[in-house]
Amino acid sequence: MSIFVNIGTVLVGIIVIIIVFRLMIEKKMSESQSVLWIAIGLIAIVLGVFPSVIPMIAAKLGIWYPPAVLLLVVSIGLLLIVFRNSIVASIHSDELHELAIQIALLKDENKELKMQLSEIKTEEVDCH
């Protein structure tokens, strides 16, 4: 691979890590969400700095075009991120459903308490 591809890979890795850390500092991304992104950035940096690792990995995996290893690594990383986000979305959906049920129950309870309060006020007015 050319030196420009190596430098580009390292720069992309550094940029990803910087962006992730900035998002964490600004509280726009949690630490648990950032782990995979930082790992992808670090892998990009390692593969850019040590390009001889790429053909070695390609040979071990039986990939005849070594730069395809980069695409494989990125694809696996992104699939892991999508999988994790799907799990989080599912959990949030369940929590949202539970919250909607609790709100409905609280509204019903609130309505009953208001009716009881109005009945007590009505009885007090009638007594006077």
Side-chain angles (χ1 to χ4, degrees), residues 16-72:
V16 166
I17 291 172
I18 289 171
I19 290 172
V20 168
F21 276 116
R22 288 188 71 196
L23 289 172
M24 285 179 9
I25 290 170
E26 295 170 1
K27 303 289 184 200
K28 294 182 180 178
M29 181 181 279
S30 69
E31 291 83 9
S32 63
Q33 291 175 329
S34 63
V35 170
L36 287 172
W37 285 107
I38 292 172
I40 289 173
L42 290 173
I43 289 170
I45 292 170
V46 168
L47 292 178
V49 171
F50 303 107
S52 60
V53 172
I54 295 171
M56 185 175 60
I57 294 171
K60 295 279 185 193
L61 295 176
I63 299 172
W64 61 271
Y65 185 61
V69 171
L70 291 175
L71 294 175
L72 177 65

Side-chain angles (χ1 to χ4, degrees), residues 36 40 70-82:
L36 287 172
I40 289 173
L70 291 175
L71 294 175
L72 177 65
V73 169
V74 170
S75 298
I76 290 171
L78 292 176
L79 282 173
L80 289 173
I81 289 170
V82 169

Side-chain angles (χ1 to χ4, degrees), residues 1-12 44 47-48 51 54 67 70:
M1 290 196 311
S2 77
I3 188 73
F4 295 114
V5 173
N6 294 347
I7 292 171
T9 304
V10 170
L11 287 177
V12 166
L47 292 178
I54 295 171
L70 291 175

Side-chain angles (χ1 to χ4, degrees), residues 72-111:
L72 177 65
V73 169
V74 170
S75 298
I76 290 171
L78 292 176
L79 282 173
L80 289 173
I81 289 170
V82 169
F83 181 68
R84 186 191 178 291
N85 286 342
S86 296
I87 292 171
V88 170
S90 178
I91 291 169
H92 287 170
S93 176
D94 292 343
E95 289 173 349
L96 186 60
H97 181 69
E98 179 67 28
L99 285 173
I101 291 171
Q102 288 179 6
I103 288 172
L105 291 172
L106 287 172
K107 282 183 179 180
D108 189 46
E109 184 179 339
N110 190 22
K111 186 188 238 182

